[in-house]
Amino acid sequence: MNSLSLKRVLIGLLLITGFILSVYFVWDKTPKYFVFTEESYGPYFWPRANWVIVHVVFGILALLLGPFQFIPAIRNNYLNVHRWMGRTYLISTMIGGIAGLYMASTSQVNYTYQTGLTSLALIWMTAGSMAYIA
């Protein structure tokens, strides 16, 4: 096997693994947020339930669309599909990032937690902006 084939196999395995882990995360961790009760959200998230569901929905969308942007067959053979998926991904990261920033700014945990959440939201939005510009 030459190095190009090995590289393709490794990238393919990485994409498949990432997608499987993403689907597992969505399947295991997010269903409770689609039940709009204080019991489901808990006392920490319930006061900000509207922001949480926006973050969850657009985060799921971005998480599941992201890996498809790296599949050359889609990018090369279905350019319009690739572009629409890319636009949807970028809009999802912006909306999810804005919701994440709000939740970070209203967090009552501690400064370190707030800083981490803020950083993640800003990185998500910055990376999306850079991808759009490129």
Side-chain angles (χ1 to χ4, degrees):
M1 184 178 288
N2 64 30
S3 64
L4 183 59
S5 297
L6 180 61
K7 181 179 175 183
R8 286 184 178 168
V9 167
L10 291 175
I11 290 172
L13 287 173
L14 183 64
L15 287 172
I16 290 168
T17 303
F19 186 74
I20 289 170
L21 290 173
S22 298
V23 169
Y24 170 75
F25 175 81
V26 168
W27 183 267
D28 188 55
K29 303 295 182 193
T30 63
K32 69 180 180 179
Y33 296 112
F34 292 96
V35 178
F36 301 104
T37 64
E38 186 172 0
E39 180 183 337
S40 180
Y41 276 72
Y44 178 73
F45 287 122
W46 183 244
R48 299 169 295 161
N50 292 335
W51 289 93
V52 173
I53 193 62
V54 167
H55 182 71
V56 168
V57 167
F58 286 97
I60 288 171
L61 195 55
L63 187 64
L64 297 179
L65 283 177
F68 290 101
Q69 291 301 95
F70 295 99
I71 298 174
I74 294 173
R75 190 172 54 244
N76 296 333
N77 300 326
Y78 303 98
L79 188 57
N80 285 333
V81 171
H82 170 74
R83 287 182 177 162
W84 276 105
M85 285 174 48
R87 288 180 188 121
T88 305
Y89 173 83
L90 291 174
I91 290 167
S92 297
T93 60
M94 287 300 148
I95 294 171
I98 290 167
L101 283 175
Y102 173 80
M103 291 188 307
S105 71
T106 60
S107 174
Q108 302 290 320
V109 177
N110 60 43
Y111 180 73
T112 304
Y113 184 72
Q114 279 184 315
T115 302
L117 292 177
T118 301
S119 298
L120 287 170
L122 290 174
I123 290 168
W124 203 15
M125 294 167 62
T126 302
S129 299
M130 291 170 61
Y132 179 76
I133 291 167

